[in-house]
Amino acid sequence: MFSKACEYGIKATIYIAVKSMRQERVSLKEIAEEVDSPVAFTAKILQSLAKNGIIDSHKGPTGGFQIEESKIDTIKLHDIVHAIDGDKIFSGCGLGLEQCDARQPCPVHDKFVGIRDNLKIMLQNTSLYELATGLEIGLTHLKR
Amino acid sequence: MFSKACEYGIKATIYIAVKSMRQERVSLKEIAEEVDSPVAFTAKILQSLAKNGIIDSHKGPTGGFQIEESKIDTIKLHDIVHAIDGDKIFSGCGLGLEQCDARQPCPVHDKFVGIRDNLKIMLQNTSLYELATGLEIGLTHLKR
DNA sequence: ATTATTTAGGATAAATTTGTCCGAAATAAG
DNA sequence: CTTATTTCGGACAAATTTATCCTAAATAAT
Ligand code: FES
Ligand code: FES
């Protein structure tokens, strides 16, 4: 469904959000540990999220990653997925035709579009805030 | 969403079904042309579908692939996807935890399970027959 | 029997995704 | 200013997926 990079990116962003709600910055190393992801690979993903304006990065001692608190509520899961995996998952053809086109649909088009749109709506309606809150109160987990 | 192998496999199966409804066998070469897929790669996928009992294969002149006509109605999209991509897509965790477990859910579990189940239900309810019919009457297309 | 045709299957290669390594750049603190 | 720390970014490597090649096995037709 999502790429490995996207899975790590989502988990990392949620963890950063939890810390940011406590006005804490968090280092790459700590993120990778909490998210159970390879450090250097996670660095690339965070870099890309920073370029997409989803998280902020700071170099040097006391450096690390954080998310502007006012943004935590407005950032949606959709934004994270889109930043890392692009929009193929939201608009691509289920059978891999160059583009999904209702005027020349593939055999699964009618059935597939509904699922795809549900996914998109779900991701657009899910805020980073609720994901971070669920984690903070111990309702959900990033690793096992 | 689906692997490339699965996309090819679905398209190939639909094409074979259309031909089988006319009591025609179809060769690998013709399938690959109609589905716009690499010949040798398609061969592997068809081999796997044959092993999974979804299609029948016959060697030699006049050989090729076909589907038992009585099966066309009972084979579901789910069977094809499951044969090629396994069941990770149906039961795997959206954030890549080793297994999805509602008692120790990842942050997206509640939101994700609904989408995943919808997909599963859709695939279980979509018969090869309806997909093949849509293609035969020119309503849908395998390439563009 | 021989031949031509078609799928089976193993080995290999290319492409993509995932993951690592290391020096450069920024920056906080002594 | 120097040093230690942390992210940045490019090059490289490993793993997986996608794709190719070639020989063997089956089989239909002559
Ligand atoms: S054309 Fe294939 S999903 Fe729309
Ligand atoms: S635990 Fe992640 S989707 Fe169920």
Side-chain angles (χ1 to χ4, degrees):
Chain A
M1 180 75 80
F2 305 125
S3 69
K4 222 65 188 154
C6 195
E7 290 176 0
Y8 294 149
I10 292 170
K11 291 194 270 191
T13 306
I14 295 172
Y15 184 71
I16 298 168
V18 168
K19 290 291 192 168
S20 293
M21 292 192 296
R22 301 183 203 146
Q23 284 79 40
E24 285 177 36
R25 226 175 243 173
V26 59
S27 74
L28 165 64
K29 194 181 151 200
E30 180 181 340
I31 293 167
E33 266 163 17
E34 292 296 323
V35 160
D36 195 25
S37 59
V39 179
F41 191 38
T42 305
K44 303 290 189 194
I45 298 160
L46 294 177
Q47 220 174 118
S48 150
L49 287 170
K51 277 183 182 161
N52 278 276
I54 293 172
I55 64 179
D56 296 325
S57 71
H58 294 271
K59 295 179 180 174
T62 78
F65 298 88
Q66 73 193 117
I67 301 176
E68 208 175 307
E69 212 168 357
S70 67
K71 273 189 181 171
I72 294 178
D73 193 57
T74 64
I75 294 174
K76 309 297 184 190
L77 204 35
H78 176 276
D79 303 323
I80 304 170
V81 173
H82 187 271
I84 301 175
D85 279 352
D87 62 353
K88 196 181 156 201
I89 190 170
F90 302 118
S91 59
C93 167
L95 294 186
L97 301 187
E98 325 83 75
Q99 56 169 359
C100 172
D101 178 358
R103 290 164 314 177
Q104 249 188 322
C106 76
V108 306
H109 177 86
D110 286 352
K111 306 260 184 179
F112 186 73
V113 167
I115 304 289
R116 207 184 55 190
D117 289 353
N118 278 351
L119 175 64
K120 183 170 188 173
I121 290 168
M122 180 275 271
L123 295 174
Q124 279 172 337
N125 289 342
T126 303
S127 72
L128 181 54
Y129 176 79
E130 57 182 309
L131 297 175
T133 302
L135 179 63
E136 195 180 27
I137 67 179
L139 209 67
T140 64
H141 308 267
L142 293 178
K143 58 179 177 180
R144 205 179 291 145
Chain B
M1 180 75 80
F2 304 125
S3 70
K4 221 65 187 152
C6 195
E7 290 176 359
Y8 296 149
I10 293 169
K11 291 194 270 191
T13 305
I14 295 172
Y15 183 70
I16 297 169
V18 168
K19 291 291 192 168
S20 293
M21 292 192 296
R22 301 184 203 144
Q23 285 77 41
E24 284 176 37
R25 227 175 241 173
V26 59
S27 74
L28 166 65
K29 195 181 152 201
E30 181 180 339
I31 294 168
E33 266 164 17
E34 291 298 323
V35 160
D36 196 25
S37 60
V39 179
F41 191 37
T42 305
K44 302 290 190 197
I45 298 160
L46 294 177
Q47 217 174 119
S48 150
L49 287 170
K51 276 182 182 163
N52 278 276
I54 292 173
I55 64 179
D56 297 324
S57 72
H58 293 272
K59 294 179 179 175
T62 77
F65 299 88
Q66 74 193 115
I67 302 176
E68 209 175 307
E69 211 167 357
S70 67
K71 274 189 181 174
I72 294 179
D73 194 59
T74 63
I75 294 174
K76 310 297 185 191
L77 205 34
H78 176 275
D79 303 322
I80 304 170
V81 173
H82 187 271
I84 301 174
D85 280 353
D87 63 351
K88 195 182 157 199
I89 190 171
F90 301 118
S91 58
C93 167
L95 294 187
L97 300 187
E98 326 83 74
Q99 57 170 359
C100 171
D101 178 358
R103 291 164 313 178
Q104 247 188 324
C106 76
V108 306
H109 176 86
D110 287 352
K111 305 260 185 179
F112 186 73
V113 167
I115 303 289
R116 207 184 56 190
D117 289 352
N118 278 351
L119 174 65
K120 184 170 188 173
I121 289 167
M122 181 275 272
L123 294 175
Q124 280 173 336
N125 289 341
T126 303
S127 71
L128 181 53
Y129 177 77
E130 58 184 307
L131 297 175
T133 302
L135 179 62
E136 195 180 26
I137 68 179
L139 210 67
T140 62
H141 308 267
L142 292 178
K143 57 180 177 181
R144 209 180 287 143

